[in-house]
């Protein structure tokens, strides 16, 4: 039997996508195997397949002896014209009725410069432009139907078949068990092992028997050497559907816009490098006669000793590369850039909506997208006020109870993330104290260096950032399942509602998970320290965990470190490439001539219900890093640009070579992600303003330069001494005092005072250790900077948003033109149809009087008829 199966396979070409007769196209494939529960599953399959045939689908089964592994059955499904036409009418699928007659716009000047980045015209425009209208089965001759077998593209065919599969029951007619419905339940209970549409051919060679669209996608899109080429969005949409097409359109547009922000970020970074040697603050810290003679107060209780300021020389030099005058400009520029990106994307999206026939999709399809799970789980029925039809609904009491459980679960996991962040902070404090304890007895005066380039602060920061990133990955793994579970529990009514709810839950969690540590470093670390003799402690004095202090150069370099580690570590594509290569070994080990198209696709990875969701989530999290905290790291857009150039091609490679063909789905926009991006764009202005005011050292330096410089020169000379307050060592409480004793001499000299980073009156002053007037001036300057920066950026943002229309004028004209033509052509069609009916009626009447004429009504009759109509 195995030899017979092999012979049968050889009769059919390897890449054939047709039934054994070579005429009926395979629109969907189901696979299954025999196992210990075979009888129950076989009964379900019999009922399900019988109901599929009743729905009009044609089936053909390949026996396991004909399959490559000898144990898998393949059920091939074909949808004939009658089924396709019926459900195209139900789903209001738009099809062409007239060729597009609007003249093309003028050629772009200097278009020849973009020729190296262009793809061949037949790849960019795989089919001509048409005016379209929703399909109506009763008006078949109204549409441009040349060949019924090829009128609906494969992506539309598999979408229609999948719509039937998800709603087809598998119970007997005499037993109305409504929960036994749909291919999803059959996949979950193991009745079928997989369900998928077929790729049209192999990706590595062109086939004459089929469209070879997969081959063209791989050749012109999925290969990394095409990274500088434009994406064939129309071909992607035709092959995979609008939902995947709109994702790649958004990703490509986002990557293009990153190019400008990356250039400006590099310029700001280069400016920091060029002014590296002119930074007076770092010079004073590194100067042995200035920073080398300033003794700083201990950074922790008991274990930490006094230290010299010049030991932080390296970190102050590093800080200047990111904390300089150019950073202020870049922060304001990014606030405007993000608005330009979102507004220009709306225009690009509007053009795609028209070109891909999505203008009225959401309103028409809302009810048609009701999830089968909602219909099964909601037993109550009520009349729809609009359609006046009975429909399932979820009672308000049940909805409120489910919402409360969902909210409590999200709150619990959010609190768990905050607890983990607090744990990392405790780790930082404990590890720093441990390092200080090991080093305080060192005989060298440079005890604050672990190596030639690493200080205890930097070592603690790097290890804490790595631990924090590991915690992020672990929590992400668990919360993915939790988010899906609570979204399923809420029983959303439509697919759109389900996706939006899951999107919001996952993003809320990821936002807290990825950004909480960055928010801590940016806005909390070093802000609530206190001063010697009256330090602030985490959770109170009993914990003995003093709040962290910033280095003399500020906390900005630590925020940069945190940002780099998380941004670099979260890129999943190296692991994806390895995973995909490993999973594709089976396909490579088979002889091509003995390996059918459905078997090849069966061995590929399933794209999954949430495949595209995770792609969006990854990019939106990246978008947050390059907008919310970009003031601390101007090179973030450049890193994102390099990553996205690779991401586009890696995703394209996965879709064309590693994944089964996804079921085509429609989407007119990027959904809830667009609102999330808008919120993050507004939040980014606030966060960057606060970073520049409170995390950066820019404002204190400017206040000193223009108000407190003693010699009234445009120089930062003396800033370090001005920014450090004095405290008498003898007044340090015993619980805070280092183990060195009251009068340490390990600096080869006796010290009586130490310095700390604050603006307080010195000992002996009538208001000793209270804030100086300079502190309040700096605080007022910071608040003024925040208000001015926010208002300037917001005014520019909203002005740009108002000046740039969301829909291009030519697209508006085309939409109006198409709606006008639909009405005009339908009117003309109905008139002609009525004329024909009257002509036939006239002929029948004439036959009765033996004066039948085959000619149509006279011109006078036609004019009267047109007026009546």
């Amino acid at each position: 039997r195995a030899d017979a199966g092999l012979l049968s396979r050889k009769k059919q070409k390897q890449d054939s996508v047709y039934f054994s007769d070579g005429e009926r196209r395979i629109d969907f494939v189901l696979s299954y195997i025999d196992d210990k529960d075979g009888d129950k599953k076989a009964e379900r399959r019999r009922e399900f397949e019988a109901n599929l045939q009743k729905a009009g689908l044609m089936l053909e089964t390949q026996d396991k002896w004909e399959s490559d592994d000898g144990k898998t059955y393949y059920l091939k499904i074909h949808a004939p014209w009658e089924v396709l036409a019926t459900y195209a009418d139900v789903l209001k699928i738009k099809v062409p009725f007239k060729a597009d007659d609007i003249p093309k716009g003028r050629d772009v000047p200097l278009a020849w410069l973009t020729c190296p980045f262009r793809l061949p015209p037949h790849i960019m425009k795989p089919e001509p432009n048409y005016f379209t209208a929703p399909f109506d089965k009763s008006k078949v001759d109204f549409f441009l139907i040349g060949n019924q077998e090829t009128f609906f593209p494969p992506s539309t065919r598999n979408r229609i078949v999948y719509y039937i599969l998800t709603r087809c029951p598998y119970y007997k007619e005499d037993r109305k068990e409504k929960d036994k419905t749909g291919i999803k339940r059959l996949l979950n209970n193991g009745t079928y092992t997989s369900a998928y549409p077929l790729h049209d051919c192999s990706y590595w060679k062109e086939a004459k028997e089929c469209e070879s669209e997969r081959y063209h996608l791989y050749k012109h899109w999925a290969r990394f050497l095409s990274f500088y080429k434009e994406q064939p969005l129309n071909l992607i949409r035709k092959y995979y559907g609008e939902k995947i097409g709109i994702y790649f359109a958004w990703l490509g547009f986002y990557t293009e816009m990153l190019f400008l922000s990356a250039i400006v970020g590099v310029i700001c970074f280069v400016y920091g490098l060029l002014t590296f040697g002119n930074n007076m603050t770092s010079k004073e810290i590194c100067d042995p006669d200035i920073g080398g003679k300033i003794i700083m107060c201990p950074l922790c209780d008991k274990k930490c000793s006094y230290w010299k300021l010049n030991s932080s020389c390296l970190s102050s030099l590093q800080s200047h590369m990111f904390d300089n005058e150019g950073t202020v400009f870049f922060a304001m520029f990014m606030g405007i850039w993000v608005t330009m990106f979102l507004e220009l994307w709306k225009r690009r999206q509007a053009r795609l909506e028209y070109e891909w026939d999505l203008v009225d999709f959401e309103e028409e399809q809302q009810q048609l997208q009701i999830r089968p799970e909602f219909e099964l789980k909601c037993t109550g029925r009520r009349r729809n006020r609009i359609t006046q039809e009975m429909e399932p609904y979820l009672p308000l009491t049940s909805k409120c109870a489910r919402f409360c459980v969902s909210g409590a679960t999200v709150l619990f996991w959010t609190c768990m993330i905050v607890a983990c962040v607090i744990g990392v902070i405790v780790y930082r404090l404990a590890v720093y104290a441990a390092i200080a304890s090991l080093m305080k007895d060192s005989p060298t005066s440079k005890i604050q260096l672990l190596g030639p380039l690493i200080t205890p602060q930097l070592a603690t920061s790097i290890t804490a950032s790595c631990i924090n990133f590991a915690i992020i990955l672990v929590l992400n793994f668990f919360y993915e399942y939790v988010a899906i579970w609570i979204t399923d529990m809420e029983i959303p009514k439509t697919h759109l509602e389900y996706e939006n709810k899951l999107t919001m839950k996952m993003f809320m969690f990821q936002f807290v998970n990825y950004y909480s540590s960055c928010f801590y470093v940016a806005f909390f670390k070093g802000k609530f320290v206190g001063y010697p003799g009256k330090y602030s402690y985490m959770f109170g004095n009993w914990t003995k965990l003093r709040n962290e202090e910033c280095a003399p150069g500020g906390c900005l370099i630590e925020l940069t470190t945190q940002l780099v580690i998380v941004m670099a570590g979260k890129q999943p594509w190296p692991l994806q490439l390895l995973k995909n290569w490993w999973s594709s070994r089976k396909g490579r080990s088979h002889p091509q001539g003995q390996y059918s198209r459905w078997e090849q696709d069966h061995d590929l990875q399933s794209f999954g219900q949430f495949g595209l969701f995770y792609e969006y989530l990854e990019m939106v999290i990246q978008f947050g890093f390059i907008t919310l905290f970009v003031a601390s790291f101007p090179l973030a857009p450049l890193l994102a640009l390099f990553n996205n150039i690779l991401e586009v091609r890696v995703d394209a490679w996965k879709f064309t070579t590693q994944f089964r063909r996804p079921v085509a789905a429609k989407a007119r926009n990027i959904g809830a992600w667009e609102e999330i991006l808008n919120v993050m764009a507004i939040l980014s202005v606030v966060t960057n303003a606060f970073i520049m005011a409170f995390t950066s050292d820019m404002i204190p330096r400017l206040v000193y330069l223009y108000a407190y410089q003693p010699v009234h020169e445009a120089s930062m000379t003396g800033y370090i001494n001005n920014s450090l307050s004095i405290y008498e060592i003898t007044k340090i409480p015993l619980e805070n005092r280092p183990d060195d004793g009251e009068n340490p001499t390990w600096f080869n000299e006796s010290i009586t005072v130490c310095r700390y980073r604050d603006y307080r009156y010195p000992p002996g002053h009538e208001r000793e250790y209270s804030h100086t007037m300079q502190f309040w001036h700096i605080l007022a300057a910071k608040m003024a900077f925040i208000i001015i920066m926010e208002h300037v950026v917001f005014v520019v943002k909203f002005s740009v948003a108002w000046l740039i229309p969301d829909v291009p004028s030519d697209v508006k004209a085309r939409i109006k033109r198409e709606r006008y033509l639909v009405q005009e052509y339908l009117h003309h069609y109905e008139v002609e149809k009525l004329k024909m009916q009257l002509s036939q009626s006239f002929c029948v009447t004439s036959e009765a009087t033996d004066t039948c004429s085959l000619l149509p009504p006279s011109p006078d009759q036609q004019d009267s008829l047109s007026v009546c109509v």
Side-chain angles (χ1 to χ4, degrees):
R1 295 183 65 179
D3 294 338
L6 179 60
L7 183 61
S8 174
R9 290 201 304 275
K10 287 184 176 179
K11 292 180 181 179
Q12 203 169 10
K13 291 187 178 180
Q14 150 205 9
D15 268 343
S16 175
V17 291
Y18 293 91
F19 276 16
S20 56
D21 58 15
E23 296 180 357
R24 292 173 292 174
R25 187 184 183 99
I26 301 172
D27 297 312
F28 227 88
V29 175
L30 308 181
S31 67
Y32 61 91
I33 58 176
D34 291 329
D35 54 21
K36 59 182 180 180
D37 296 327
D39 293 339
K40 292 182 179 179
K41 294 179 180 178
E43 182 180 357
R44 294 182 197 135
R45 285 192 291 268
R46 280 195 299 270
E47 296 298 332
F48 185 68
E49 292 167 16
N51 290 328
L52 288 178
Q53 289 177 320
K54 290 178 182 177
L57 297 178
M58 297 180 179
L59 310 179
E60 181 180 83
T61 303
Q62 175 181 292
D63 194 87
K64 64 180 180 181
W65 302 111
E66 300 180 41
S67 63
D68 182 75
D69 59 7
K71 61 180 181 180
T72 303
Y73 295 85
Y74 293 95
L75 177 67
K76 294 168 277 186
I77 302 174
H78 168 75
W81 168 257
E82 279 299 315
V83 174
L84 294 173
T86 299
Y87 283 93
D89 193 349
V90 171
L91 296 173
K92 303 298 180 186
I93 294 175
K94 288 189 174 183
V95 294
F97 70 91
K98 183 185 183 300
D100 189 347
D101 60 357
I102 297 180
K104 296 182 180 179
R106 298 178 180 177
D107 293 335
V108 179
L110 302 178
W112 58 271
L113 292 175
T114 62
C115 288
F117 310 102
R118 299 288 181 189
L119 291 176
H122 72 281
I123 300 298
M124 291 303 297
K125 294 286 186 181
E127 52 190 2
N129 293 329
Y130 294 100
F131 291 118
T132 60
F135 185 79
D136 189 338
K137 190 178 178 181
S138 64
K139 300 180 177 66
V140 173
D141 52 343
F142 173 73
F143 302 100
L144 300 177
I145 302 177
N147 185 345
Q148 291 183 350
E149 293 300 319
T150 58
F151 179 66
F152 293 107
S155 57
T156 302
R157 297 174 68 100
N158 71 56
R159 177 187 166 208
I160 291 174
V161 173
Y162 186 71
Y163 181 87
I164 299 172
L165 291 174
T166 55
R167 285 159 174 79
C168 182
Y170 56 92
Y171 53 78
K172 296 182 179 179
E173 291 184 358
D174 57 338
R175 298 173 61 186
K176 299 291 184 181
E177 301 170 273
K178 292 191 175 182
D179 61 326
K180 294 186 176 182
T181 301
I183 187 63
K184 291 183 180 180
R185 281 187 72 89
L186 292 173
L187 290 172
N188 290 336
N189 60 33
T191 303
Y192 291 99
T193 55
S194 61
Y196 53 93
L198 291 180
H199 283 293
D200 61 0
C201 66
S202 299
Y203 65 86
W204 59 84
K205 66 177 181 179
E206 188 172 7
K208 298 181 180 179
E209 300 81 11
C210 60
E211 299 86 352
S212 297
E213 291 174 351
R214 186 188 186 194
Y215 165 78
H216 291 303
L217 285 171
Y218 176 75
K219 179 181 178 181
H220 298 283
W221 179 50
R223 295 193 300 180
F224 180 72
L225 293 178
S226 302
F227 72 92
Y228 62 94
K229 296 279 189 179
E230 61 184 335
Q231 296 188 85
L233 294 177
N234 289 309
L235 186 58
I236 297 170
R237 172 250 182 170
K238 182 183 177 185
Y239 192 75
Y240 291 112
E242 288 79 3
K243 192 170 186 178
I244 292 176
I246 206 77
Y247 163 73
F248 280 103
W250 176 81
L251 179 58
F253 184 80
Y254 171 45
T255 304
E256 292 171 9
M257 289 294 292
L258 278 175
F259 186 75
L260 176 61
S261 60
I263 291 176
V264 178
V266 170
I267 292 174
C268 292
F269 179 74
V270 170
Y271 172 81
L273 290 177
L274 294 178
T275 57
F276 192 80
N278 300 326
N279 180 20
M280 184 57 65
T281 303
S282 298
K283 285 183 177 180
E284 290 189 347
I285 292 176
C286 300
D287 191 338
D289 296 327
I290 301 177
K293 294 184 178 181
I294 295 178
I295 308 301
M296 302 296 293
C297 296
L299 295 175
C300 62
D301 295 340
K302 291 293 185 180
K303 303 299 182 181
C304 297
S305 187
Y306 305 94
W307 54 286
K308 290 185 177 182
L309 179 61
N310 64 349
S311 64
S312 63
C313 173
L314 181 62
S315 64
S316 68
L317 291 172
Q318 294 170 340
S319 295
H320 178 72
M321 291 188 291
F322 307 104
D323 187 7
N324 53 66
E325 295 79 3
T327 309
V328 179
F329 165 78
F330 187 62
M332 300 182 72
F333 166 81
M334 286 301 294
I336 300 171
W337 173 88
V338 72
T339 302
M340 294 289 294
F341 163 65
L342 294 175
E343 292 303 317
L344 293 177
W345 165 246
K346 289 178 184 178
R347 291 173 60 84
R348 177 71 172 129
Q349 186 172 254
R351 191 175 297 278
L352 291 175
E353 284 180 19
Y354 169 74
E355 293 176 354
W356 294 355
D357 300 321
L358 301 170
V359 174
D360 301 318
F361 166 72
E362 186 173 325
E363 293 77 8
E364 295 174 356
Q365 296 294 312
Q366 187 69 20
Q367 293 302 320
L368 298 176
Q369 291 184 344
I370 292 179
R371 300 172 63 239
E373 294 84 352
F374 182 84
E375 297 176 332
L376 296 175
K377 294 180 181 179
C378 298
T379 56
R381 292 289 187 273
R382 68 179 178 186
R383 190 175 301 278
N384 188 300
R385 296 179 181 179
I386 300 174
T387 63
Q388 293 300 309
E389 296 179 358
M390 299 300 292
E391 65 177 12
Y393 83 103
L394 189 65
L396 182 61
T397 54
S398 176
K399 187 179 295 185
C400 291
R402 294 172 186 273
F403 178 79
C404 291
V405 174
S406 174
T409 306
V410 172
L411 182 62
F412 169 78
W413 280 88
T414 304
C415 293
M416 183 175 291
I417 297 173
V418 175
C420 291
V421 172
I422 293 173
V424 173
I425 296 172
V426 172
Y427 163 84
R428 298 162 72 109
L429 297 173
V431 168
Y432 185 85
I435 294 176
S437 177
L438 292 174
M439 297 169 52
K440 68 186 181 64
D441 297 325
S442 173
T444 176
S445 61
K446 294 185 178 180
I447 62 166
Q448 295 299 317
L449 292 178
L450 295 177
L453 297 175
I454 301 177
T455 63
Q457 293 95 330
L458 184 59
T460 304
S461 176
I462 292 175
T463 56
S465 298
C466 293
I467 293 174
N468 178 72
F469 178 69
I471 293 173
I472 287 174
L473 296 180
V474 172
L475 291 177
N476 278 349
F477 175 79
F478 288 106
Y479 190 75
E480 286 178 5
Y481 296 98
V482 174
I484 295 172
W485 175 75
I486 58 180
T487 306
D488 289 337
M489 182 194 62
E490 293 177 3
I491 320 180
K493 183 177 181 179
T494 65
H495 293 288
L496 181 64
E497 185 181 351
Y498 182 91
E499 290 181 1
N500 289 345
K501 286 189 173 184
L502 180 63
T503 297
M504 295 307 299
K505 290 181 180 63
M506 282 296 294
F507 178 75
M508 285 172 58
F509 174 81
Q510 298 276 20
F511 184 91
V512 179
N513 199 17
Y514 276 106
Y515 302 142
S516 56
S517 58
C518 293
F519 271 100
Y520 164 73
V521 175
F523 305 122
F524 295 97
K525 182 178 178 181
K527 308 300 185 295
F528 310 99
V529 177
Y531 60 93
K534 196 177 181 180
Y535 286 116
S536 299
Y537 291 83
M538 182 181 294
F539 308 122
N541 294 344
W542 62 274
T543 62
K544 302 301 182 182
L545 294 173
R546 255 171 57 184
N547 290 339
E548 287 188 280
E549 297 184 38
C550 292
C555 281
L556 198 68
I557 187 62
E558 189 168 337
L559 179 59
T560 303
T561 303
Q562 180 79 27
L563 201 63
V564 170
I565 290 176
V566 178
M567 279 192 69
K570 72 176 290 292
Q571 306 307 328
W573 54 264
L575 292 177
Q576 288 177 352
L577 289 175
L578 182 61
K579 178 183 175 182
N580 292 330
W581 174 84
W582 182 260
S583 63
S584 63
R585 292 175 301 117
K586 184 176 181 180
R588 295 194 302 271
S589 64
H590 287 77
Q592 295 182 10
Q594 303 175 14
Y595 202 33
S596 65
R597 166 54 43 208
W598 46 90
E599 289 176 298
Q600 293 178 48
D601 287 6
H602 178 266
D603 291 336
L604 296 177
Q605 300 178 61
S606 175
F607 181 62
Q609 180 182 1
F610 305 108
L612 206 58
F613 171 82
Y614 292 120
E615 301 293 342
Y616 271 119
L617 183 62
E618 177 189 346
M619 288 296 102
V620 171
I621 293 297
Q622 181 203 85
F623 180 83
F625 280 121
I626 68 164
T627 54
L628 296 176
F629 307 102
V630 74
S632 66
F633 188 43
L635 294 181
L638 181 65
L639 296 183
L641 175 63
F642 288 151
N643 173 78
N644 288 7
I645 290 173
L646 188 61
E647 182 76 23
V648 170
R649 304 304 161 178
V650 170
D651 285 349
W653 177 77
K654 290 189 300 184
F655 271 92
T656 54
T657 68
Q658 304 302 303
F659 286 146
R660 297 171 186 161
R661 187 173 185 170
V663 178
K666 281 187 173 289
R668 65 176 300 185
N669 50 43
I670 62 176
W673 299 111
E674 189 167 345
E675 292 302 318
I676 290 174
L677 293 175
N678 284 323
V679 172
M680 293 179 72
I682 295 174
L683 183 61
S684 67
V685 178
V686 179
T687 56
N688 283 301
F690 273 84
I691 287 173
M692 294 308 304
F694 288 98
T695 308
S696 167
D697 211 29
M698 180 62 60
I699 303 299
R701 290 201 297 262
L702 292 176
V703 170
Y704 173 80
L705 180 64
Y706 293 109
Y708 287 89
Q709 220 286 342
V711 295
H712 301 289
E713 297 178 358
S715 172
M716 292 298 296
T717 304
Y719 169 73
I720 286 298
N721 186 64
N722 175 267
S723 64
L724 298 176
S725 298
I726 302 173
Y727 197 87
E728 288 186 6
I729 290 178
T730 55
K731 294 184 178 180
I732 297 179
L734 290 176
E735 61 270 18
N736 302 135
R737 191 174 301 173
D739 292 336
D740 293 348
E742 293 186 13
N743 196 22
T745 58
W746 54 267
F747 280 119
N748 299 322
E749 59 184 37
S750 178
I751 56 175
T752 58
V753 296
C754 63
R755 310 293 292 271
Y756 60 98
R757 197 166 186 262
D758 207 342
Y759 293 92
R760 295 180 182 272
Y761 289 109
H765 194 278
E766 60 180 4
R767 299 178 59 191
E768 66 176 3
Y769 306 133
S770 62
H771 283 124
T772 63
M773 187 57 66
Q774 185 175 353
F775 170 84
W776 300 109
H777 287 166
I778 292 173
L779 182 61
K782 289 179 177 181
M783 301 306 297
F785 174 82
I786 292 172
I787 294 172
I788 293 172
M789 178 177 171
E790 287 182 355
H791 280 68
V792 169
V793 175
F794 279 135
V795 167
V796 175
K797 278 172 62 70
F798 293 125
S799 299
V800 169
W802 179 75
L803 289 172
I804 300 177
D806 292 345
V807 182
S809 58
D810 63 315
V811 173
K812 289 181 180 179
R814 286 174 177 269
I815 293 173
K816 292 178 181 178
R817 169 73 174 162
E818 183 166 309
R819 287 174 176 169
Y820 166 76
L821 284 176
V822 170
Q823 294 177 354
E824 182 185 25
Y825 272 67
L826 278 174
H827 174 77
H828 180 71
Y829 173 81
E830 294 292 347
V831 169
E832 292 297 324
K833 189 174 181 180
L834 187 54
K835 288 179 182 178
M836 187 62 67
Q837 290 174 353
L838 290 176
S839 175
Q840 293 173 353
S841 175
F842 176 74
C843 183
V844 171
T845 305
S846 299
E847 284 179 353
T849 59
D850 296 328
T851 59
C852 177
S853 174
L854 297 179
L855 296 176
S858 65
D860 294 338
Q861 292 174 317
Q862 292 182 6
D863 293 341
S864 301
L865 179 61
S866 300
V867 172
C868 294
V869 175

